[in-house]
Amino acid sequence: KAGVTQTPRYLIKTRGQQVTLSCSPISGHRSVSWYQQTPGQGLQFLFEYFSETQRNKGNFPGRFSGRQFSNSRSEMNVSTLELGDSALYLCASSLRTGLGNEQFFGPGTRLTVL
Amino acid sequence: GESVGLHLPTLSVQEGDNSIINCAYSNSASDYFIWYKQESGKGPQFIIDIRSNMDKRQGQRVTVLLNKTVKHLSLQIAATQPGDSAVYFCGTARDKIIFGKGTRLHILP
């Protein structure tokens, strides 16, 4: 069974631009969560989608948004990029929503904002 | 706000010895606790989890201990191997997971 895939793997953008990252969950998994990982702040939860609905949200500004499609694939968008948005963005999928459902992480998208 | 902190950013352990990685959390309402391992260039990988109604849970070569009184969580790895070299994250949750910043485990030959 294929794992979680994320595209692109690496991305370079400039301040003010917007970016869209994509995540394909493991087949059959309906929950997709997004995380931001930086050396300073560590791993921080962005949001979770289940059945095309946002179920939970972290403490990030409205510039960070996401959506989930009927095939469970998910995208996250960051608008008006700032230097501090440079990070590794990780997507994780699980069969169902809720704590206790093991999350499987993808390799991440490395975003660099210049 | 809520916080999760690891006691040491780096830990060096002799191959074959046991490793203990510690974590402190602030939210007494947390009822779910989890450990992840992240190898270089990869996403985090689930190791073990524990609910607040337990104080110990064992997996293959790993044990998680939970002390709710002092809000402390630890991961014990038995007979540490070179493949255990990674960054280890603890996470605590009430409705969403809050992670610590990670402890890098170095294995000494």
Side-chain angles (χ1 to χ4, degrees):
Chain A
K1 191 183 264 191
V4 177
T5 58
Q6 292 187 245
T7 56
R9 291 294 311 278
Y10 301 92
L11 204 48
I12 299 175
K13 292 285 188 178
T14 57
R15 278 180 297 176
Q17 288 187 308
Q18 73 156 14
V19 67
T20 299
L21 311 181
S22 181
C23 171
S24 292
I26 292 172
S27 178
H29 285 195
R30 294 171 61 197
S31 170
V32 174
S33 296
W34 288 90
Y35 295 85
Q36 181 196 66
Q37 187 173 35
T38 60
Q41 298 300 317
L43 193 59
Q44 293 184 285
F45 172 75
L46 279 156
F47 27 66
E48 181 201 4
Y49 287 87
F50 179 78
S51 295
E52 302 176 67
T53 302
Q54 189 180 87
R55 291 302 177 107
N56 221 332
K57 190 176 188 304
N59 299 323
F60 279 81
R63 299 186 297 108
F64 292 81
S65 62
R67 59 177 176 167
Q68 186 181 34
F69 303 96
S70 58
N71 61 359
S72 294
R73 192 177 68 84
S74 177
E75 289 181 347
M76 68 162 280
N77 185 78
V78 188
S79 62
T80 320
L81 283 165
E82 301 176 359
L83 295 178
D85 297 332
S86 293
L88 181 67
Y89 289 89
L90 291 158
C91 162
S93 77
S94 59
L95 274 171
R96 292 173 289 276
T97 186
L99 300 174
N101 286 288
E102 183 178 346
Q103 291 188 317
F104 295 83
F105 281 81
T109 293
R110 173 76 60 187
L111 172 65
T112 301
V113 181
L114 302 176
Chain B
E2 282 186 65
S3 67
V4 178
L6 271 73
H7 293 186
L8 291 173
T10 305
L11 178 67
S12 295
V13 175
Q14 207 75 36
E15 183 179 346
D17 286 353
N18 296 337
S19 302
I20 300 175
I21 302 172
N22 296 302
C23 187
Y25 62 95
S26 65
N27 188 356
S28 56
S30 295
D31 57 7
Y32 178 74
F33 306 84
I34 192 166
W35 282 97
Y36 277 93
K37 169 186 178 181
Q38 187 173 22
E39 297 174 84
S40 183
K42 298 183 179 179
Q45 179 184 7
F46 171 85
I47 301 173
I48 192 167
D49 60 2
I50 189 169
R51 292 275 183 186
S52 59
N53 60 351
M54 302 173 70
D55 52 22
K56 180 179 179 179
R57 191 171 185 211
Q58 289 183 289
Q60 188 177 9
R61 280 200 310 118
V62 295
T63 301
V64 56
L65 298 177
L66 174 63
N67 185 329
K68 295 181 288 295
T69 303
V70 295
K71 290 183 279 190
H72 183 270
L73 184 70
S74 69
L75 176 71
Q76 299 179 3
I77 304 172
T80 310
Q81 303 168 357
D84 295 328
S85 181
V87 177
Y88 290 82
F89 295 93
C90 67
T92 72
R94 176 66 181 167
D95 55 357
K96 55 182 180 282
I97 300 176
I98 307 294
F99 286 101
K101 292 188 181 157
T103 289
R104 182 172 293 280
L105 180 63
H106 291 284
I107 313 303
L108 305 171

